[in-house]
Amino acid sequence: MTTPPLSAPRIPEAVHRRRWAILGVLMLSLLIVVLDNSILNVAIKTISTPAPTGLGATQSELEWAINAYTLVFAGLLFSAGLIGDRVGRKKVLLGGLVVFGIGSALAAESGSPGQLIAFRALMALGAAFVMPATLAVLMNVFEREEQPKAIGIWAGGVGLAIAIGPITGGVLLDHFWWGSVFLINVPIVLIALALMVWLVPDSRDPKPGRVDPIGVVLSVVGLVLLVYGIIKGGELADFTDVQVLATIGAGVAVLAAFIVFEKRSDHPSLDVTYFKNKVFSAAMAAIALVFFALMGVTFFSVFYTQSVRGYSPLQSGLLMLPLAAAQMIFAPRARLLVDRFGNKATTGVGLVLLAGMLAAFAGFEADTPIWVLEVVFFLMGAGMAHVMTPTSVVIMQALPREKAGSASALSNTFRQVGGALGIAVLGSVLSTAYRNGIDGKLGLVPTALRDTAGESIEATLGVAAKLGPQGKALVAPANDAFLHAMHVTALCGTGVALIGAVVAFLFLPGKPPASQQGEERQELVVAAE
């Protein structure tokens, strides 16, 4: 049998020659978006302290400093991807970076928690245009056979940001005021802008069709309502609250209306028939579930290392290095396992490994040897790398190259909604379990302060500090209550990761026979078209 000729390269030679330099610029742009959230996690404790050290932000205000970013980011991701496909991904990248840089500079100078929340939302507006465009540009500067390797390196960049964020944040907080964790973004933005203007080519969908304003509005309104309801449920630690149910219900209803409208439209923003492809849908579900489990658990791990174990922000950041290192090592190499064993085995085993490491948190105590935590973080990062790279490749190659912005935006939207759900749902599990564990131990606390003291371990320790020597008796019960709450939350995260593994084993493709590998590579595109 004669081998069919390879298709002619679709990438211009001048772009092809500098493709790896372009990938470096895209990763720098991605770095600041991911780095910002990981930096903020380290700075939470400092921002909560009264002025002049911090802003004196309450627990609710701290949550909204994180959630305002998530809400705007998740709500606009899909629309940002569509705009990039239409007007040009390079233009969208440049504009998004400028807005993100301005928001960072303003956030650094915030005079109140309210201002910080508003400027974080502005940063998210810029980030929403940066994140999907990086992956969309990547798909348009690499030929199909190199895309898995490039996406693996791109995914490894997320691991790099996870490592750099907490360490950078810790160093800055040791030497400068809290606003420096945002101001550090500005020089990175300026470098990224200069390199992007010089190196990155523009690309767009050559046949974008007519604008779909109704679809865009429905997608934004639906996602914002859904994510807001999820966040509110986490904040109240009660998903049966009428306001929470009404908001989530309204978001689901608007998104359902969006799907119905898109199915009937002759110029849809989203071709919903892509979801008829079981492999594509399973990859989306897997990436959402992995971020649900991971974001919820990494959220409480900061409090475990700093509040229970007593590590500084910098030390806490350094403890995250194994997780990041594993992602950087394994994400670019995950494609090799996919080639050998198939997507099903690689992604499924990755999710099982992640579930096992989340379960390990259920056995952690205040005196667990720290090397055990480091091993768990490393294996967690390895598991995540073998989920992120294969699923990203499946999603990006399922849609035509011209729709790369939409594919990237969809992937990131599912990731963000999954992460928001993880923080909200597992956060509410943590909060409820902690309050139930500490309630009977607050007899020494004045009645007026008991509600506040029961909110979180940070709140309990804050009240204990105000009570002086008498408050020291609260430290051990607070640690015990938090550890119990962490164990419960970790087991919930484990269950979610296992559901993701089941989805992967059932629906993702296995390794095709050697004679069919060429056809298998085209299968997703054919199914999408």
Side-chain angles (χ1 to χ4, degrees):
M1 186 179 74
T2 57
T3 304
L6 292 173
S7 57
R10 297 178 57 184
I11 309 300
E13 180 58 30
V15 173
H16 182 74
R17 281 199 306 269
R18 63 177 192 267
R19 65 196 185 283
W20 297 110
I22 292 169
L23 179 59
V25 179
L26 296 176
M27 288 177 64
L28 184 63
S29 305
L30 175 72
L31 182 75
I32 59 170
V33 175
V34 179
L35 178 146
D36 180 72
N37 269 337
S38 54
I39 276 186
L40 183 61
N41 285 338
V42 174
I44 282 174
K45 192 172 180 181
T46 306
I47 294 171
S48 68
T49 57
T53 303
L55 289 175
T58 64
Q59 183 76 10
S60 176
E61 287 167 338
L62 284 174
E63 287 175 6
W64 274 108
I66 297 170
N67 294 336
Y69 191 95
T70 303
L71 185 63
V72 175
F73 191 50
L76 293 179
L77 266 173
F78 178 67
S79 299
L82 291 175
I83 292 169
D85 284 345
R86 178 172 291 275
V87 307
R89 288 129 192 169
K90 180 176 181 177
K91 296 183 185 73
V92 162
L93 258 175
L94 292 171
L97 282 171
V98 168
V99 172
F100 186 86
I102 292 170
S104 298
L106 292 172
E109 299 299 327
S110 298
S112 68
Q115 287 182 6
L116 177 61
I117 291 167
F119 295 139
R120 287 275 298 161
L122 180 63
M123 291 168 68
L125 173 64
F129 285 86
V130 172
M131 190 81 168
T134 58
L135 201 46
V137 170
L138 181 156
M139 298 300 289
N140 281 272
V141 299
F142 285 90
E143 295 291 355
R144 186 176 177 85
E145 60 272 14
E146 278 191 322
Q147 287 171 1
K149 181 179 180 181
I151 289 174
I153 294 170
W154 178 89
V158 175
L160 180 65
I162 291 172
I164 291 175
I167 295 168
T168 306
V171 171
L172 290 170
L173 291 172
D174 276 356
H175 296 90
F176 305 102
W177 93 116
W178 65 267
S180 61
V181 301
F182 298 110
L183 199 60
I184 191 66
N185 292 332
V186 176
I188 302 175
V189 165
L190 293 173
I191 293 169
L193 285 170
L195 291 172
M196 199 168 294
V197 169
W198 178 35
L199 287 171
V200 176
D202 205 357
S203 62
R204 68 180 76 188
D205 186 346
K207 297 178 181 177
R210 286 185 290 152
V211 181
D212 177 25
I214 296 176
V216 169
V217 170
L218 286 174
S219 70
V220 172
V221 171
L223 283 168
V224 167
L225 284 171
L226 175 64
V227 175
Y228 178 81
I230 291 166
I231 289 169
K232 194 67 180 173
E235 187 181 318
L236 298 174
D238 181 11
F239 279 84
T240 62
D241 182 84
V242 174
Q243 182 186 352
V244 172
L245 290 174
T247 309
I248 291 176
V252 171
V254 173
L255 289 174
F258 167 71
I259 292 169
V260 171
F261 181 82
E262 296 299 283
K263 286 178 73 173
R264 296 178 178 178
S265 174
D266 59 357
H267 56 288
S269 298
L270 170 65
D271 187 346
V272 293
T273 59
Y274 291 133
F275 287 94
K276 290 182 180 178
N277 181 344
K278 288 190 294 186
V279 173
F280 178 78
S281 297
M284 286 289 194
I287 210 163
L289 290 169
V290 75
F291 270 80
F292 179 103
L294 190 79
M295 292 299 288
V297 173
T298 51
F299 180 70
F300 69 62
S301 69
V302 172
F303 293 100
Y304 172 68
T305 55
Q306 291 189 35
S307 300
V308 176
R309 302 299 296 259
Y311 289 100
S312 70
L314 175 57
Q315 291 169 327
S316 182
L318 289 169
L319 289 173
M320 296 290 286
L321 267 177
L323 187 145
Q327 278 196 285
M328 290 166 60
I329 293 166
F330 294 112
R333 293 170 174 79
R335 64 190 170 83
L336 302 175
L337 286 181
V338 172
D339 289 343
R340 184 166 182 179
F341 301 109
N343 270 297
K344 184 194 297 286
T346 304
T347 305
V349 172
L351 280 159
V352 170
L353 178 59
L354 179 63
M357 294 309 100
L358 295 176
F361 272 95
F364 281 10
E365 300 295 343
D367 58 353
T368 298
I370 206 64
W371 66 264
V372 177
L373 176 66
E374 298 298 88
V375 170
V376 166
F377 273 149
F378 183 82
L379 293 175
M380 187 182 288
M384 189 177 176
H386 288 96
V387 176
M388 276 186 64
T389 299
T391 52
S392 295
V393 172
V394 165
I395 291 164
M396 293 306 296
Q397 292 192 343
L399 272 65
R401 190 195 296 265
E402 293 76 17
K403 303 293 182 184
S406 301
S408 177
L410 272 173
S411 168
N412 282 300
T413 299
F414 271 71
R415 188 178 301 170
Q416 285 298 312
V417 171
L421 267 169
I423 291 173
V425 174
L426 296 183
S428 68
V429 170
L430 183 75
S431 176
T432 303
Y434 180 78
R435 186 177 283 279
N436 290 341
I438 199 67
D439 263 354
K441 312 289 175 59
L442 298 176
L444 295 174
V445 179
T447 306
L449 293 176
R450 282 182 191 172
D451 268 355
T452 302
E455 282 183 2
S456 66
I457 185 170
E458 281 299 307
T460 306
L461 295 177
V463 169
K466 291 177 184 175
L467 294 176
Q470 186 182 9
K472 288 182 180 178
L474 283 175
V475 174
N479 286 344
D480 291 342
F482 177 83
L483 288 169
H484 170 70
M486 183 179 80
H487 296 163
V488 172
T489 309
L491 291 175
C492 291
T494 301
V496 172
L498 288 174
I499 292 171
V502 171
V503 169
F505 283 123
L506 286 178
F507 298 112
L508 289 181
K511 183 188 177 185
S515 61
Q516 296 178 12
Q517 282 185 354
E519 291 87 342
E520 182 72 20
R521 291 189 187 98
Q522 300 300 324
E523 181 183 294
L524 292 172
V525 171
V526 171
E529 292 172 348

